[in-house]
Amino acid sequence: MVDLLSQLGASTRMALSQSQDRLRLERYAAFYRALGESSQLMARHPPPQRLFDGLCELLVQSTGLEVAFISLIEDRMKVRVVSARGRASPFLEGALFSIDPEDPGRCLIHSRTLESEKVLFIPFLEGWLCSDAVREAARPWGLRNTLTVAIRREGKAIGLMGLVSGQEDFFDATLENLLAGLSRDITFSLEFQERQERLVRISITDSLTGLPNRNAFSEDVSRLLSETAGKGGGMALGILDLDGFKGWNDAYGHSEGDRLLRELADLLREILPPEGLVARLGGDEFGFCFPRPTREEARKLSEDFSREVLKTVRKVDHGLNLVTGSLGWALSSKVGDSYRDLLAHADEALYAAKRGGRNTVRFFGGEIASALQRRIETHRSFPSAIKNGDLVFWVQPQLDCRTGQVEGVEMLVRWKQGDRMLLPGAFMSEVEKDPVLIRMLGLHALRQARTLRDRFLRSGRALRVSLNIGASHFLHEEFLSNVDETVGHGRGDGLVLEVTESAALEDMPRTTRLVEELKRRGFGVSLDDFGTGYSSLHYAADLGVTEIKLDAYFLRRFRSFTNAFAVVGSTLLLADLSGSRLVGEGLEFFEDLALWLRMGGRLIQGYLLARPMPDEEIFPWLERPLPPEVMHPAPVYPVEDLPFLEYAFRPFSSNGEQGHPPGDCPLDLWFDQRGIFYDRLPSWNEARESHRQMHRSTSSPRAAAERFVRAVGALREEMDAYWLTLVPPSTSPP
């Protein structure tokens, strides 16, 4: 009987052991399934809270745990349960525990786990709870034992994961190892997300200033536009560009430039309205965006903010006033406005602020919007206008007034748009900025000039044909190849390429080489708009150009203003000494021509001779007599008589306002020095005396000026006759 009972006990024990083994294996299988699903969850790299909730849910559902929870350290002395799942989760969810070593009521489970590198097994949970109140709250849930493990990031504990069971002996060494592995996986996932977030922050953050970069600004503004779409709200987008920043960098070095940008970024953050966005768009450009309930409020806020920005910019160069700011703003005007459109409009307004003197603010709209539309239309239509023959060249003749011979024509571009004929001012400023368009125009002009030259030759007229070449085309590395392919190598005879003075001076060594190469190919080279750049006269002489075209600005003013008269006189002397032709552009009035001829000019181009005309009209025009106004026999005065000519052709009002005090007037010196030639002329003494009287008169200055004008006019007629007798108009004075 004893043996039978013994065998029965052994069998029972074996059965119980087998049952426990089976339950344990089922538990292991459940944990492995949970861990497999957890790996799939972590592979998707969800945000931390979704990761924590998902892990706790999977563990509870798969294993039958009473609760699975995750706590995170809120500060150095407290932890909060951020996720809890399972039947007993209300006991823990959102709970805050102390881990302060000095606090008698601290949570031992959290404190010990966070201090340990290993999984912590707690076989009797109630004894580890931190207070009677907590134990009382936990008792209804029948919680018995717990496994906890610290969650780490970059080697530092940031929280813990806990598994709680209501069964005795639920946890063993195998489950401890599985939880340790899960902790490592969580650490890897969190660190991976941290790296990803860091890369995202780097990709949307300017490394120098810490501000959002252009990509972040684009995304944020686009998001705001989507949020406000259909709500009728307003939005202002602005661009700040620093004036003088390059000079600051050059003067003080890039490290000082970086300091200025960082300091400015900090100040911009301080003055930015709460709802505003600020970003560094690149270089010395910053972007702003303000969403507002209405368009009017957006404009008002941007105007107020702009004043603060301009004040702020002036602070960062420590009162040196070397760096200022220009601002351009665009206001959203309708549903459907895109970030790209607003940015382009703000950029256009910024460009207008730069043109308007800098250190100022402009809003997109009105003429600024019209200018943008013209530019877009130009870029879209210009190539097809060349292809379709809508870009044509009118011509304006050039006359040698000494011989009475038309010597050449200048080609002037026109754009035919339906019934309209656009002048260059409507489109050339945009074409000149685009290197592709200006090269297209240059090649087109070369082809048309070659054709027109050949037509003149076939008609028996060897007239020069002048055409303008844009600066970027002239200095392009393929310019000479373009010329050879279009006109033919060495076939430039009769063609004159006009290059503006500013373009020529942009790269003097290259320009000099190009001028020589073109002359070897038979071309003439003209320095156009002379006097409007910043060159000294010897630069112009060193270029070796065959022609100089004096800008019309000076010929419209040289009878009234001393400085303009001086430029005309010095340019005539330069052309004479360098052997270059000098063309006076823009002559419209007979009095201007009369002075031009007496100063030594002979070639003219302007409305006084002929207005620009279609090329087919130039041939019948050449057959007609010249306008009588240009057939004016006039002597060439010696250069020593330029002081007299300056006053002899001045309008009366200008003579009444002499800029020279008595004794310093150039005409006083002229009367003293030139009397040896002219004192026998009848009006000499009257002209000299009336000039002195004009300076002395205080009671009736107008009467004195009128007397002087009459005397000078009479003296001029006598001097004309004097020089016409001595020197025929076709030659120069000795």
Side-chain angles (χ1 to χ4, degrees):
M1 185 67 177
V2 173
D3 291 340
L4 182 61
L5 290 174
S6 176
Q7 291 176 5
L8 181 60
S11 297
T12 301
R13 286 194 298 275
M14 182 180 295
L16 286 173
S17 176
Q18 289 176 346
S19 175
Q20 290 173 351
D21 289 344
R22 185 173 63 255
L23 289 174
R24 188 176 296 109
L25 290 174
E26 290 175 354
R27 192 178 306 141
Y28 293 163
F31 266 92
Y32 277 113
R33 283 196 302 273
L35 293 178
E37 293 178 10
S38 298
S39 297
Q40 294 177 17
L41 173 65
M42 286 185 281
R44 296 193 292 271
H45 303 295
Q49 188 60 50
R50 285 175 52 194
L51 174 66
F52 298 154
D53 292 344
L55 290 174
C56 292
E57 188 72 33
L58 286 171
L59 287 167
V60 168
Q61 287 183 355
S62 298
T63 63
L65 290 168
E66 305 302 325
V67 65
F69 69 94
I70 292 177
S71 302
L72 294 179
I73 298 175
E74 280 199 349
D75 57 40
R76 291 191 304 170
M77 299 302 171
K78 286 185 173 58
V79 293
R80 183 180 297 277
V81 177
V82 296
S83 183
R85 293 291 189 273
R87 183 179 64 84
S89 60
F91 161 62
L92 283 174
E93 199 163 24
L96 184 68
F97 297 102
S98 171
I99 53 173
D100 184 355
E102 305 297 325
D103 183 1
R106 74 184 186 278
C107 177
L108 294 177
I109 296 175
H110 282 87
S111 298
R112 296 287 177 84
T113 303
L114 294 172
E115 294 169 356
S116 174
E117 298 283 341
K118 299 179 180 179
V119 175
L120 182 65
F121 173 56
I122 302 172
F124 181 62
L125 177 63
E126 187 171 327
W128 284 66
L129 297 179
C130 55
S131 68
D132 292 338
V134 174
R135 282 188 284 273
E136 188 66 27
R139 196 166 290 130
W141 301 105
L143 306 178
R144 294 182 179 278
N145 48 34
T146 302
L147 278 185
T148 57
V149 64
I151 298 173
R152 301 181 181 277
R153 188 163 58 196
E154 297 179 353
K156 182 180 179 181
I158 62 167
L160 64 81
M161 184 174 200
L163 308 179
V164 184
S165 173
Q167 302 177 32
E168 292 185 8
D169 301 326
F170 186 86
F171 300 111
D172 59 15
T174 299
L175 295 185
E176 289 182 21
N177 291 333
L178 292 177
L179 184 60
L182 179 59
S183 170
R184 289 191 293 272
D185 290 345
I186 294 173
T187 295
F188 175 81
S189 180
L190 292 176
E191 290 180 347
F192 178 84
Q193 288 189 48
E194 175 92 13
R195 289 192 296 271
Q196 292 297 105
E197 290 172 2
R198 191 179 302 123
L199 289 173
V200 170
R201 284 196 300 273
I202 291 172
S203 71
I204 64 173
T205 303
D206 175 57
S207 60
L208 177 65
T209 63
L211 292 175
N213 62 14
R214 180 182 286 269
N215 292 334
F217 190 65
S218 170
E219 292 178 4
D220 291 342
V221 175
S222 298
R223 173 178 51 78
L224 288 174
L225 285 169
S226 298
E227 292 173 358
T228 58
K231 298 180 181 178
M235 180 178 290
L237 187 147
I239 302 175
L240 165 68
D241 185 88
L242 298 183
D243 310 318
F245 182 72
K246 183 180 184 304
W248 177 274
N249 254 345
D250 293 343
Y252 298 102
H254 289 283
S255 60
E256 183 62 17
D258 290 347
R259 178 209 62 80
L260 186 148
L261 292 174
R262 284 193 297 268
E263 187 174 332
L264 177 60
D266 292 340
L267 292 171
L268 291 175
R269 287 190 189 95
E270 293 178 8
I271 65 174
L272 188 73
E275 70 275 30
L277 300 175
V278 60
R280 184 185 178 204
L281 303 183
D284 57 351
E285 274 194 355
F286 295 83
F288 309 101
C289 180
F290 305 136
R292 299 296 287 170
T294 67
R295 175 184 169 93
E296 291 70 26
E297 288 183 274
R299 183 182 182 105
K300 173 83 167 54
L301 179 59
S302 55
E303 287 173 343
D304 295 341
F305 179 69
S306 295
R307 285 191 287 271
E308 293 301 315
V309 168
L310 296 184
K311 290 180 189 175
T312 299
V313 172
R314 288 194 290 270
K315 292 178 184 177
V316 295
D317 73 346
H318 303 308
L320 296 176
N321 293 321
L322 298 177
V323 178
T324 57
S326 295
L327 274 158
W329 289 95
L331 302 175
S332 61
S333 56
K334 60 184 184 302
V335 175
D337 278 337
S338 68
Y339 165 76
R340 182 177 178 180
D341 291 339
L342 287 177
L343 189 70
H345 294 171
D347 194 55
E348 190 71 15
L350 172 65
Y351 182 63
K354 293 281 191 182
R355 289 198 314 267
R358 306 189 173 197
N359 194 33
T360 188
V361 183
R362 292 288 186 274
F363 283 82
F364 181 79
E367 178 54 33
I368 298 176
S370 299
L372 176 61
Q373 186 58 41
R374 286 195 300 270
R375 183 162 68 253
I376 293 172
E377 183 61 29
T378 297
H379 282 256
R380 182 167 52 231
S381 306
F382 194 79
S384 59
I386 293 178
K387 181 179 179 181
N388 298 335
D390 293 330
L391 207 72
V392 299
F393 292 94
W394 287 18
V395 295
Q396 189 174 34
Q398 298 170 348
L399 175 71
D400 185 335
C401 292
R402 298 294 176 194
T403 64
Q405 297 295 316
V406 175
E407 293 202 347
V409 298
E410 180 183 2
M411 293 170 43
L412 302 169
V413 67
R414 300 288 188 268
W415 190 343
K416 185 166 57 178
Q417 293 187 350
D419 296 333
R420 296 188 305 161
M421 189 67 77
L422 297 186
L423 298 177
F427 59 89
M428 276 306 298
S429 60
E430 301 304 330
V431 173
E432 287 170 344
K433 295 173 191 172
D434 189 308
V436 175
L437 294 185
I438 197 64
R439 288 185 68 200
M440 292 176 66
L441 177 60
L443 293 172
H444 182 51
L446 283 166
R447 288 190 292 267
Q448 297 301 310
R450 179 194 62 196
T451 300
L452 183 58
R453 176 200 62 185
D454 294 345
R455 288 175 63 193
F456 281 138
L457 290 174
R458 286 195 298 270
S459 69
R461 297 179 181 274
L463 299 185
R464 291 189 301 272
V465 178
S466 299
L467 63 147
N468 290 276
I469 295 295
S472 59
H473 188 195
F474 181 74
L475 295 174
H476 195 277
E477 59 183 9
E478 296 183 3
F479 174 66
L480 288 175
S481 298
N482 294 158
V483 169
D484 292 340
E485 292 168 4
T486 307
V487 178
H489 188 79
R491 297 192 58 202
D493 291 341
L495 298 181
V496 179
L497 305 185
E498 296 188 8
V499 184
T500 61
E501 178 186 358
S502 55
L505 298 175
E506 188 174 322
D507 187 344
M508 275 290 293
R510 177 166 176 77
T511 299
T512 303
R513 291 194 299 271
L514 284 171
V515 168
E516 291 305 314
E517 287 293 334
L518 289 168
K519 287 161 65 176
R520 276 196 286 271
R521 287 164 166 79
F523 290 91
V525 182
S526 177
L527 195 58
D528 197 15
D529 297 337
F530 184 76
T532 59
Y534 301 95
S535 65
S536 64
L537 293 178
H538 83 81
Y539 278 153
D542 289 346
L543 280 174
V545 294
T546 58
E547 179 182 279
I548 297 173
K549 298 192 77 173
L550 184 61
D551 190 70
Y553 171 85
F554 300 102
L555 293 175
R556 285 194 294 265
R557 298 164 61 89
F558 77 142
R559 284 194 300 119
S560 301
F561 297 93
T562 297
N563 289 342
F565 182 88
V567 170
V568 174
S570 58
T571 308
L572 282 161
L573 183 60
L574 167 67
D576 186 47
L577 294 176
S578 64
S580 303
R581 291 189 307 272
L582 179 63
V583 181
E585 281 193 293
L587 281 167
E588 299 183 31
F589 302 104
F590 171 77
E591 294 81 1
D592 295 333
L593 174 62
L595 178 55
W596 170 252
L597 293 175
R598 284 164 176 80
M599 292 178 70
R602 59 189 299 163
L603 295 173
I604 65 166
Q605 175 185 337
Y607 284 7
L608 188 64
L609 174 63
R611 290 176 175 270
M613 63 191 79
D615 59 356
E616 64 269 14
E617 294 182 12
I618 188 65
F619 292 95
W621 183 90
L622 290 169
E623 300 297 331
R624 294 195 290 268
L626 292 171
E629 293 85 356
V630 301
M631 302 302 293
H632 173 65
V636 179
Y637 280 48
V639 68
E640 291 84 358
D641 290 336
L642 288 180
F644 171 75
L645 288 175
E646 179 189 356
Y647 287 88
F649 284 86
R650 275 200 174 183
F652 169 74
S653 59
S654 298
N655 275 315
E657 300 173 359
Q658 301 302 325
H660 305 285
D664 292 335
C665 179
L667 201 54
D668 279 330
L669 182 61
W670 181 81
F671 275 117
D672 291 339
Q673 293 180 342
R674 299 297 282 174
I676 188 172
F677 292 98
Y678 304 124
D679 62 359
R680 293 182 179 84
L681 297 178
S683 300
W684 173 264
N685 290 328
E686 170 61 12
R688 184 170 191 173
E689 181 56 32
S690 65
H691 178 248
R692 290 173 177 170
Q693 181 62 31
M694 185 177 63
H695 278 305
R696 290 195 300 263
S697 178
T698 56
S699 58
S700 55
R702 183 175 182 85
E706 289 175 347
R707 176 189 173 191
F708 171 71
V709 169
R710 287 193 299 271
V712 166
L715 180 58
R716 188 185 77 189
E717 292 179 3
E718 294 165 4
M719 291 175 63
D720 280 355
Y722 174 82
W723 284 111
L724 285 171
T725 301
L726 291 180
V727 184
S730 60
T731 62
S732 300

